[in-house]
Amino acid sequence: MFSNLFGERSNGAFRTRFAHLMAAILLLLSSGLLSAARAEAYRVVPGDVLSITVYGNQDLTGVFPVSADGTIGYPILGNVTVTEATPTEIADRIGKSLSQHLANLSVAVTVKEYAPVFVVGDIQKAGKFEFRPGMIMLELFALAGGLRQASSQTDTAGMQLVTARQEYEDMGLQLLSLDVRRTRFEAEYNDKTFDYNFDPAMGLTDATSAQRIIQSERNIFDLRRAGVDEQRRSLETQRQNFIEEIASLEKSSELRGQEYQLLQQDVDASRGLFERGVTSESALREKKREMLAMNRNTVEAGSFLARAKQNRDLIDQKLQDLQGERRNDAAKGLGDISLEILRLRKKMEFSLQKMAEISASAGRAATLEQSMKTVFSTVRLVDGQYKETVVEEHTPIRAGDIVRVKLMPIAETMTSSVN
């Protein structure tokens, strides 16, 4: 089974079986159906932490770590050897020893913390992991994320290829966006209607996003054009108001001129009557004051007329500038976009080359993967010395074990087996 899973394997079938296996293992870990039975059969190792409860004497109750020599420091009894014994056996051992000093005591022992297990080698997440009674090699392998190298090289190349294709698709949408914007600028520069026909031959798979890009630029064009039209209408309305004001002031000035002539005749007549003594000098002065007031009104009216003509000329200039500004903005946008489109096309060419290289790399990794096999081994403290032993995927793990995962050519594993 081990060789079927980790030896000669095809990419799709292996990943599917391994994913199902990992899911089943993790589900088993979370269920906790076998926890009680496994904990009962568990034998203590260095690094564990024991919780000892003595009913009838709280001073003897506490938490005791197991040292490297397999003992705990316990009140009254001193160093007590606990390794290779179950919690029940340890409770019986401590209870019998205490009975020589104190009567009527009941002792219970549980493992509060298990010594962690460690994983090293060709796996995704090397490091320390929590131990569970009954854990087998495959469970720990799943927790460590699976293989890091040969099998993951194919997966990595596949993910890189997917990413590269997505980047290429994104660049295609960017290119479409720039091309649609260029069309909008051209329509604004030439004061024409915006119209863009999407070409499916561009190779974009996300046609919905493409249509959204086109509609977005169309909305911008309509808003900008509506804004310009609104400004133009406002300026033309102001211009018409100033034209009407100018006409009114010119007509008023004409009437004022006629009135001035009549007033001048009245002043001349009053001067003649005064010289003949027919009228008083005060009457002549009154006529002159009326004439001065008329002159002042004429000057003010001329100032109003000049200001109205100046405002009309300013509006005419704004109308000319309005169209000019729109054309200038569009021309600048066209210049910038041309350079961006050129750069993006170069990036897309490079992206195509990159995808071709990734595909070739994935093929080489798949070939290598088919000739590799995963080998498990445990490094365990035996009789005071660490010994490394090759194990299978269903081999039980002990707390404190160091697990090594190696990816080796099948030929080497066969040679090792023969030896």
Side-chain angles (χ1 to χ4, degrees), residues 243-259 301-302 305 309:
I243 289 175
E244 293 176 359
E245 182 180 359
I246 290 170
S248 176
L249 289 172
E250 288 178 340
K251 183 64 176 177
S252 177
S253 179
E254 181 182 352
L255 294 175
R256 192 175 288 104
Q258 295 176 5
E259 185 179 1
L305 180 60
K309 290 181 178 181

Side-chain angles (χ1 to χ4, degrees), residues 218-245:
R218 180 176 288 111
N219 292 340
I220 293 174
F221 175 83
D222 292 340
L223 287 173
R224 287 169 62 89
R225 187 169 191 176
V228 171
D229 290 344
E230 179 64 26
Q231 291 182 56
R232 183 183 290 112
R233 284 193 296 269
S234 177
L235 291 173
E236 288 177 348
T237 299
Q238 294 180 50
R239 183 177 185 277
Q240 183 61 34
N241 291 336
F242 285 127
I243 289 175
E244 293 176 359
E245 182 180 359

Side-chain angles (χ1 to χ4, degrees), residues 61-263:
T61 297
V63 175
F64 303 90
V66 181
S67 64
D69 62 1
T71 63
I72 61 172
Y74 194 75
I76 300 177
L77 303 181
N79 290 335
V80 178
T81 300
V82 294
T83 52
E84 299 302 328
T86 66
T88 300
E89 292 171 348
I90 296 171
D92 291 340
R93 185 180 305 170
I94 293 176
K96 290 179 181 179
S97 298
L98 287 176
S99 65
Q100 300 175 11
H101 304 277
L102 300 170
N104 300 323
L105 296 179
S106 177
V107 181
V109 177
T110 59
V111 180
K112 180 177 178 61
E113 295 179 15
Y114 294 100
V117 290
F118 301 85
V119 188
V120 297
D122 298 327
I123 38 89
Q124 294 285 351
K125 298 183 293 184
K128 180 173 67 174
F129 292 87
E130 180 183 352
F131 173 80
R132 300 180 184 87
M135 177 182 285
I136 64 173
M137 188 64 64
L138 275 182
E139 295 178 13
L140 184 58
F141 182 71
L143 290 173
L147 289 174
R148 179 185 63 192
Q149 295 184 356
S151 61
S152 64
Q153 288 177 1
T154 305
D155 296 337
T156 300
M159 289 187 291
Q160 288 176 344
L161 186 58
V162 170
T163 302
R165 286 174 177 168
Q166 184 60 51
E167 290 176 352
Y168 186 81
E169 179 77 10
D170 291 342
M171 285 188 286
L173 289 174
Q174 293 177 37
L175 182 62
L176 172 67
S177 178
L178 291 174
D179 191 52
V180 176
R181 193 177 307 165
R182 178 182 58 80
T183 303
R184 172 172 66 82
F185 282 142
E186 289 177 348
E188 292 177 349
Y189 183 82
N190 297 314
D191 198 19
K192 294 183 178 180
T193 302
F194 172 78
D195 189 21
Y196 188 91
N197 295 319
F198 173 61
D199 184 7
M202 294 182 67
L204 293 175
T205 59
D206 193 354
T208 301
S209 296
Q211 292 297 336
R212 288 176 179 173
I213 290 173
I214 296 172
Q215 186 59 45
S216 177
E217 291 294 334
R218 180 176 288 111
N219 292 340
I220 293 174
F221 175 83
D222 292 340
L223 287 173
R224 287 169 62 89
R225 187 169 191 176
V228 171
D229 290 344
E230 179 64 26
Q231 291 182 56
R232 183 183 290 112
R233 284 193 296 269
S234 177
L235 291 173
E236 288 177 348
T237 299
Q238 294 180 50
R239 183 177 185 277
Q240 183 61 34
N241 291 336
F242 285 127
I243 289 175
E244 293 176 359
E245 182 180 359
I246 290 170
S248 176
L249 289 172
E250 288 178 340
K251 183 64 176 177
S252 177
S253 179
E254 181 182 352
L255 294 175
R256 192 175 288 104
Q258 295 176 5
E259 185 179 1
Y260 180 81
Q261 292 176 359
L262 294 174
L263 187 57

